């Protein structure tokens, strides 16, 4: 199998010195750029399978790089964001970034996010309508949900929210993405609906709804569904 090519666009040299060997040590080919201009040129010439994109670049805003990438590429973009860039992070996700890593992050977290983002392109259209993990089984074709083999009854909105998360395939979904997908274009201001319906999904599908393993809150960003979490 050929090795996926990852392009890192990050001006912080110390971070590149961590990222390049960490990724090369796995099964990835790695390219890195320190400026937006260099990064965009490399993206065009090498068409990487995934881009790790810093939002704070010296020559152009990372958001502008994302917009330009998205004019010709649907490949996954994972944002590298500093703690004070909460709003930019959400904007980047709403504008087509696939996921984000908040600095500082460790190697395990980095590699997990990359695996999820790359898995997403392999299963872009969810060829298999059945997903399962952690005792939960969701059949998108039959619209059937089971927990430990037993059918779970969901309301229409609960199911739509679950489906929107499943289709993200482990990636984060922002509040506004979920609200518009589940409640329609008019629903984007109603963040409290999400909290209510997420609580109902957790109650029905988590072993301990107060310590969710699968329906993960990403503070001030949104939610992700992690079916790989192990039960213990
Ligand atoms: Ca930076």
């Amino acid at each position: 199998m050929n090795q996926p090519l990852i392009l890192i666009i990050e001006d912080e040299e110390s971070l590149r010195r961590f990222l390049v060997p960490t990724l090369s040590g796995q099964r990835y080919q790695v390219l890195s750029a320190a400026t937006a201009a260099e990064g965009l040129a490399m993206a065009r010439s090498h068409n990487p399978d995934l881009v790790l994109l810093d939002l704070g670049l010296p020559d152009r805003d990372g958001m502008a790089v994302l917009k330009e990438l998205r004019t010709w590429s649907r490949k996954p973009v994972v944002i590298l964001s500093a703690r004070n860039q909460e709003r930019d992070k959400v904007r980047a996700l709403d504008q087509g970034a696939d996921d984000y890593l908040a600095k500082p992050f460790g190697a395990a977290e980095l590699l997990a996010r990359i695996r999820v983002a790359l898995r997403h392109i392999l299963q872009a259209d969810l060829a298999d309508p059945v997903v399962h993990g952690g005792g939960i089984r969701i059949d998108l074709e039959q619209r059937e949900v089971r927990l430990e083999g037993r059918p779970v009854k969901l309301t229409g909105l609960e199911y739509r929210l679950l489906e929107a998360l499943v289709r993200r395939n482990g990636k984060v979904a922002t509040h506004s993405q979920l609200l518009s997908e589940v409640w329609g274009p008019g629903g984007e201001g109603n963040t409290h609906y999400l909290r209510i319906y997420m609580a109902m999904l957790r109650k029905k599908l988590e072993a301990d709804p107060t310590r969710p393993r699968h329906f993960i809150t990403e503070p001030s960003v949104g939610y992700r569904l992690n079916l790989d979490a192990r039960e213990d």
Side-chain angles (χ1 to χ4, degrees), residues 25 27 30 66-67 85 93 104 110 127 139 142 148 159 177 208 215 218 227 229:
R27 53 190 186 96
V30 185
L66 172 66
K67 273 190 196 156
Q85 293 174 321
L93 291 166
L110 167 75
D139 184 332
Q142 305 294 323
E148 308 297 353
Y159 182 81
Q177 286 168 341
D208 179 357
F215 295 86
E218 296 285 346
L227 290 178

Side-chain angles (χ1 to χ4, degrees), residues 102-218:
K103 297 175 187 175
F105 50 82
E109 194 184 1
L110 167 75
L111 295 171
R113 290 298 160 76
I114 288 176
R115 275 196 302 273
V116 165
L118 288 172
R119 181 174 69 192
H120 192 71
I121 37 173
L122 296 177
Q123 309 176 343
D125 53 356
L126 275 182
D128 185 353
V130 180
V131 295
H132 53 85
I136 302 172
R137 182 181 184 281
I138 302 152
D139 184 332
L140 295 175
E141 207 167 80
Q142 305 294 323
R143 300 172 68 88
E144 186 193 70
V145 182
R146 285 174 179 268
L147 178 64
E148 308 297 353
R150 291 183 301 274
V152 175
K153 194 145 178 47
L154 299 182
T155 67
L157 281 171
E158 288 166 0
Y159 182 81
R160 274 162 72 177
L161 179 56
L162 177 65
E163 182 175 18
L165 289 165
V166 168
R167 292 202 179 278
R168 286 278 181 320
N169 224 332
K171 294 187 312 177
V172 66
T174 66
H175 295 133
S176 73
Q177 286 168 341
L178 289 172
L179 286 166
S180 68
E181 276 171 46
V182 177
W183 281 272
E188 285 181 30
N190 301 320
T191 312
H192 63 285
Y193 288 175
L194 267 182
R195 276 199 300 276
I196 294 166
Y197 280 86
M198 198 60 65
M200 295 203 256
L201 285 178
R202 283 172 173 154
K203 202 169 155 205
K204 292 182 178 180
L205 294 169
E206 292 275 6
D208 179 357
T210 62
R211 288 173 38 239
R213 292 167 196 279
H214 306 297
F215 295 86
I216 309 297
T217 300
E218 296 285 346

Side-chain angles (χ1 to χ4, degrees), residues 10-12 54 56-57 103:
E10 166 66 62
D11 61 320
E12 233 173 285
D54 178 27
L57 293 166
K103 297 175 187 175

Side-chain angles (χ1 to χ4, degrees), residues 61-105:
D61 186 357
M63 204 72 73
V65 176
L66 172 66
K67 273 190 196 156
E68 189 161 329
L69 279 174
R70 281 289 173 256
T71 61
W72 61 273
S73 168
R74 294 303 314 160
K75 294 287 173 64
V77 175
V78 176
I79 297 297
L80 306 176
S81 76
R83 289 264 174 239
N84 57 1
Q85 293 174 321
E86 288 287 316
R87 284 186 53 209
D88 290 349
K89 189 164 75 186
V90 175
R91 230 172 81 211
L93 291 166
D94 282 336
Q95 302 220 347
D98 294 76
D99 211 334
Y100 74 94
L101 281 156
K103 297 175 187 175
F105 50 82

Side-chain angles (χ1 to χ4, degrees), residues 14-26:
S14 59
L15 190 48
R16 289 201 310 275
R17 275 208 304 265
F18 158 71
L19 289 169
V20 173
T22 302
L23 296 174
S24 310
Q26 301 293 315

